[in-house]
Amino acid sequence: MSSEQDDLKQALLASVTALWESDSFPLRDTDRTRNLRPEILRRLLSLVMTDDERAALFNLPEGCRIRDTAKIIAQENLVCGKYVWIGEGTLLDASGGLEIGDHTSIGAGTMVWTHSSHLSNLAMKNESGNGLIQRKPTRIGKGCLIAGPSVVYAGVTIGDKCLIQPMSVVTKDVPSYSVVMGSPGKVVRTLSEEAIEKMIRDAGA
């Protein structure tokens, strides 16, 4: 390491230390912060990991990959299949219960919800931990592609082998073998095993 690089890095460490020790970097010691802090630190440290290492850190099954800046809320309520890919900036809210089937991909910037806080806002009671949060389980089948950025509403069930086109907003249940696009999302095509096999042949796979 060159002397110039060493000096720069030492100066950066000194700046971080000074910020950490200053009163302008406030940390709170509450039940809420103690519960949240380990998860925040885990996500921060995971930024230096590869996508498969990150999936292992989050105890996801065989073959899963999570790109950097993806976030899982209430991971203890996530039931995840094998070979699931989760893209950059994806938000998976599992607080109301979330299931994702084998070989499904959730594209970059997608938001999958299992709760809504709109009643808290309308009632002017948006304090943390209020009792107006509504939670509903969301399910995404196996062999699906949720192309990002898209949004899946709380309580929605998406069947197996569905293609959700980019920029879609899925507000209601989607049958298996559906192609969905738009806001609100609508089924624009129905696939079949024969159609899928032809697509694979046409792709030369």
Side-chain angles (χ1 to χ4, degrees), residues 51-52 55-56 60-66 80-85:
D51 54 4
D52 56 334
L60 296 188
E62 173 188 354
C64 289
R65 292 165 290 157
I66 307 179
C80 184
K82 297 179 180 180
Y83 299 98
V84 168
W85 183 87

Side-chain angles (χ1 to χ4, degrees), residues 73-92:
I73 299 173
Q75 188 189 339
E76 66 275 11
N77 297 326
L78 171 65
V79 178
C80 184
K82 297 179 180 180
Y83 299 98
V84 168
W85 183 87
I86 302 168
E88 291 90 344
T90 295
L91 174 62
L92 300 181

Side-chain angles (χ1 to χ4, degrees), residues 104 140-146 157-165 173-181 186-200:
T104 283
I140 300 172
K142 60 186 179 182
C144 293
L145 170 63
I146 315 294
T157 293
I158 296 174
D160 297 334
K161 297 191 176 183
C162 289
L163 301 179
I164 310 300
Q165 297 298 314
D173 292 355
V174 175
S176 295
Y177 296 98
S178 294
V179 179
V180 171
M181 65 185 303
K186 296 180 179 180
V187 176
V188 297
R189 180 183 174 189
T190 300
L191 302 172
S192 64
E193 285 297 331
E194 292 76 15
I196 293 171
E197 290 173 4
K198 183 178 184 304
M199 292 165 66
I200 294 171

Side-chain angles (χ1 to χ4, degrees), residues 13-196:
L13 286 174
S15 296
V16 171
T17 300
L19 175 62
W20 181 263
E21 294 176 348
S22 74
D23 292 336
S24 63
F25 190 75
L27 295 174
R28 297 178 178 176
D29 186 23
T30 66
D31 288 343
R32 182 174 184 271
T33 58
R34 284 192 293 272
N35 288 334
L36 291 174
R37 194 94 62 207
E39 178 60 26
I40 294 170
L41 289 172
R42 184 164 68 154
R43 288 203 309 273
L44 177 63
L45 293 173
S46 76
L47 290 175
V48 301
M49 303 176 111
T50 63
D51 54 4
D52 56 334
E53 291 172 338
R54 194 173 294 109
L57 175 68
F58 286 93
N59 297 313
L60 296 188
E62 173 188 354
C64 289
R65 292 165 290 157
I66 307 179
R67 300 291 293 172
D68 53 290
T69 69
K71 180 178 181 179
I72 304 173
I73 299 173
Q75 188 189 339
E76 66 275 11
N77 297 326
L78 171 65
V79 178
C80 184
K82 297 179 180 180
Y83 299 98
V84 168
W85 183 87
I86 302 168
E88 291 90 344
T90 295
L91 174 62
L92 300 181
D93 165 29
S95 64
L98 176 60
E99 296 181 17
I100 302 174
D102 297 342
H103 296 276
T104 283
S105 290
I106 313 292
T110 292
M111 294 183 287
V112 180
W113 294 104
T114 65
H115 87 277
S116 175
S117 62
H118 66 282
L119 292 179
S120 305
N121 305 114
L122 295 173
M124 303 292 287
K125 294 183 178 180
N126 200 31
E127 300 89 356
S128 177
N130 76 78
L132 294 174
I133 304 296
Q134 294 182 310
R135 303 187 193 278
K136 300 176 183 178
T138 301
R139 299 177 178 87
I140 300 172
K142 60 186 179 182
C144 293
L145 170 63
I146 315 294
S150 291
V151 178
V152 179
Y153 274 28
V156 164
T157 293
I158 296 174
D160 297 334
K161 297 191 176 183
C162 289
L163 301 179
I164 310 300
Q165 297 298 314
M167 307 295 288
S168 295
V169 179
V170 184
T171 62
K172 60 183 180 181
D173 292 355
V174 175
S176 295
Y177 296 98
S178 294
V179 179
V180 171
M181 65 185 303
S183 175
K186 296 180 179 180
V187 176
V188 297
R189 180 183 174 189
T190 300
L191 302 172
S192 64
E193 285 297 331
E194 292 76 15
I196 293 171

